[in-house]
Amino acid sequence: MSAGTPRQLCPAERLGNLVVLTLDRPEARNALDIPLLEAFVAGLAEGSRAGAGVVLVRATGPVFCAGADVRSDDGTATGRPGLRRRLIEQSLDLLGDFPAVVAAVQGAAVGAGWAVAAAADITLAAPAAWFRFPELPLGFPPPDSTVRRLGAAVGPARALRLLALDERFTADDLAGLGLVEVVPAAALDGRARETAARLAALPVALLRDLKTGLSAGKRAPAIDRPPSKGQP
């Protein structure tokens, strides 16, 4: 980035029918402040307007996303209280509107960061990745779309545990529930790009119809054991 050039907090790559969006605020563990969220939402909206069928969400640095940046302004300072929360919900709604979404999770995905990963149709995670929802103990409800999505994927009882107890889950824990696929760290970005590119090569209308049909018929997997709590 040259001197005087505004930094892109969420650079976008357009590769045919695929949009690659990269959360790029590694100095803050990619925590979602309003500028990053506005850039993320803008990238998703532009991809949707351009007719892209597939989105790949990735991140720079060792952390995928530390969640909402609660140390930053939530919009109150500019006369828009609650803006950060609305932008998070908007980004999740936009992700849900694409025929296919892939997420590459290389490290921690906390709160809204896990919500972004959970909004993907295919979530690939490095072995060191871990996931946690601290919202309820902090006095905030998880995003509505995340509650619905996890409830449909793993059933109400398991979703309650994932969302309510502020437990840390490993990539292997979530792989056991069918929520992620564990990929070696060195291969994660390449596998995510390859997977997204293969999806993007498919007819968009058919891919959208398939996703709609799968969502309508989604039910919880039959897994006998609850996920183990990951060690810090």
Side-chain angles (χ1 to χ4, degrees), residues 76-100:
T76 301
T78 57
R80 300 175 292 174
L83 176 61
R84 184 177 59 223
R85 173 74 183 204
R86 292 195 297 275
L87 287 170
I88 290 171
E89 297 275 8
Q90 185 179 359
S91 70
L92 299 176
D93 289 343
L94 285 166
L95 284 168
D97 287 341
F98 281 90

Side-chain angles (χ1 to χ4, degrees), residues 7-12 21-23 25 30-47 49 72-76 78-80 82-92 94:
R7 176 182 174 187
Q8 294 187 50
L9 292 172
C10 188
L21 296 175
T22 302
L23 305 178
R25 196 181 174 227
N30 294 314
L32 299 170
D33 63 356
I34 287 175
L36 176 52
L37 281 164
E38 288 178 335
F40 187 39
V41 166
L44 291 168
E46 175 57 31
R49 284 192 297 269
S72 67
D73 174 45
D74 71 346
T76 301
T78 57
R80 300 175 292 174
L83 176 61
R84 184 177 59 223
R85 173 74 183 204
R86 292 195 297 275
L87 287 170
I88 290 171
E89 297 275 8
Q90 185 179 359
S91 70
L92 299 176
L94 285 166

Side-chain angles (χ1 to χ4, degrees), residues 208-228:
R208 186 182 298 279
D209 288 346
L210 176 60
K211 180 173 177 175
T212 299
L214 290 170
S215 298
K218 189 176 289 183
R219 60 182 179 180
I223 297 176
D224 294 331
R225 63 172 183 83
S228 61

